[in-house]
Amino acid sequence: MDNRSNVTYLMFGGHVEVHKYGYLYFVIMFTVYILIISSNVTIVCIIIIHKNLHEPMYIFIAALLINSVLFSTAIYPKLLIDFLSEKQIISYPACLFQWFLYYWLGGSDFFLLSIMAYDRYVSICNPLKYTTIMQKNTVNIFLFSAWILPAGLFLVALILNAKKEICKFHLKGILCNSTVQTLHCVRSITLNVYGLVNLVNVLILPVVFILFTYGRILVVSYRCRGVRKRAAETCLPHLLVLMNFSCLTAYDVLLPRLELDSPKIVRLIMSLQAVIYHPLFNPIIYGLKMTKIYDHLKKLFCRMV
């Protein structure tokens, strides 16, 4: 606690020999950050520029990639500063803000993946009704909901966290995630219950909906050979992204709550995977697996060479 400014500061304790390898960490993570920003922004610009990509599926992909840019920007600058600092600290309000961005954008990703699953379901299972259902206004409502609904859910959690008194000032990790609740003097039943409600609304229900819709797509694809190739081409990238993101989210949600005494190096590696794989994985998958995007990428690189 800083008595002069009356601002509470927290210490990150998840770094491993940062004073010895700080510059190496900085170079590696700065390179990853540049790759994340450049790859995601490139595909988003391709989708915006080319009119043949102005379809609901590609618009939702662009929204997902924009989330990756925002997510990385909420995490990486602070990490890079910490790698070059003598003390890895953050003010409590800034920590809560990072926590909010972390979970808001993560929740938004699950909502977007659900919308993308529904889009594929309508396109493959009800192709004649697709243009009627997936109109411009419908797409806009879906996008608005994917950003606003999780923001509202986690804003309530943010307010509840801000009102709690903290007695600990040491975080085991390298960023502000669910471990923030371990700082509270008294564990809040209200926060735990509300956190469970958010877990169901933001993670479990979307995943169940996605699995149901892709199950229906699988049945239709099995019955009709003509749609198998299109289903595999457009659905496989979404499923790969879902599997990757679900595994990382499960680790983030469950491990801190179980409070397992795992080695610091293991926690560091898992934390870095959570902030590297998903934002870097998305543009790679969509850039390589989505034929139209891949064709535009090839043309772009051929011009550059």
Side-chain angles (χ1 to χ4, degrees), residues 210-226:
I210 292 169
L211 293 178
F212 171 77
T213 53
Y214 281 123
R216 293 291 301 165
I217 291 172
L218 183 64
V219 171
V220 172
S221 301
Y222 179 76
R223 291 175 180 174
C224 182
R225 293 182 180 180

Side-chain angles (χ1 to χ4, degrees), residues 171 194 228 256 274:
L171 284 168
Y194 188 75
R228 287 183 188 177

Side-chain angles (χ1 to χ4, degrees), residues 12-255:
F12 289 118
H15 295 276
V16 177
E17 298 193 40
V18 67
H19 297 296
K20 185 176 181 181
Y21 300 111
Y23 288 105
L24 178 61
Y25 290 154
F26 179 88
V27 171
I28 293 173
M29 296 304 292
F30 181 75
T31 303
V32 171
Y33 183 48
I34 294 299
L35 286 173
I36 289 172
I37 298 299
S38 58
S39 58
N40 282 279
V41 170
T42 297
I43 295 181
V44 170
C45 290
I46 285 175
I47 293 173
I48 293 174
I49 292 171
H50 298 283
K51 292 184 177 180
N52 69 327
L53 298 180
H54 292 181
E55 300 174 10
M57 177 177 64
Y58 298 104
I59 293 172
F60 297 139
I61 289 174
L64 192 70
L65 299 184
I66 289 172
N67 272 10
S68 294
V69 173
L70 295 175
F71 175 85
S72 301
T73 303
I75 302 299
Y76 278 80
K78 175 56 180 168
L79 273 180
L80 295 173
I81 292 172
D82 285 342
F83 291 145
L84 300 181
S85 302
E86 293 184 6
K87 293 182 179 180
Q88 292 72 47
I89 61 175
I90 187 171
S91 69
Y92 187 53
C95 185
L96 288 178
F97 184 62
Q98 187 184 67
W99 175 93
F100 171 74
L101 293 176
Y102 185 89
Y103 287 106
W104 165 44
L105 295 169
S108 177
D109 279 355
F110 276 110
F111 276 67
L112 285 171
L113 288 171
S114 300
I115 294 169
M116 292 159 78
Y118 177 72
D119 174 75
R120 291 300 85 203
Y121 170 77
V122 176
S123 175
I124 294 171
C125 299
N126 296 289
L128 297 179
K129 298 181 179 179
Y130 182 78
T131 54
T132 303
I133 296 174
M134 300 302 293
Q135 296 180 358
K136 184 177 180 180
N137 288 338
T138 305
V139 172
N140 291 335
I141 291 172
F142 279 153
L143 287 175
F144 184 79
S145 301
W147 279 312
I148 295 301
L149 289 179
L153 290 172
F154 286 107
L155 183 60
V156 174
L158 175 68
I159 295 172
L160 291 174
N161 272 296
K163 289 183 177 180
K164 293 292 293 181
E165 184 181 359
I166 62 173
C167 293
K168 299 178 182 177
F169 307 95
H170 185 273
L171 284 168
K172 290 184 178 180
I174 59 174
L175 51 88
C176 296
N177 53 11
S178 56
T179 55
V180 168
Q181 287 186 240
T182 63
L183 303 174
H184 298 159
C185 299
V186 179
R187 288 295 182 94
S188 171
I189 297 177
T190 303
L191 262 176
N192 287 334
V193 172
Y194 188 75
L196 182 61
V197 171
N198 276 353
L199 180 66
V200 172
N201 289 332
V202 175
L203 175 60
I204 296 177
L205 288 180
V207 169
V208 170
F209 175 78
I210 292 169
L211 293 178
F212 171 77
T213 53
Y214 281 123
R216 293 291 301 165
I217 291 172
L218 183 64
V219 171
V220 172
S221 301
Y222 179 76
R223 291 175 180 174
C224 182
R225 293 182 180 180
V227 300
R228 287 183 188 177
K229 182 179 179 181
R230 185 159 66 96
E233 179 183 320
T234 59
C235 295
L236 182 60
H238 304 326
L239 286 173
L240 290 174
V241 170
L242 174 66
M243 291 170 57
N244 172 66
F245 193 45
S246 296
C247 291
L248 295 174
T249 303
Y251 165 80
D252 177 79
V253 171
L254 295 176
L255 194 60

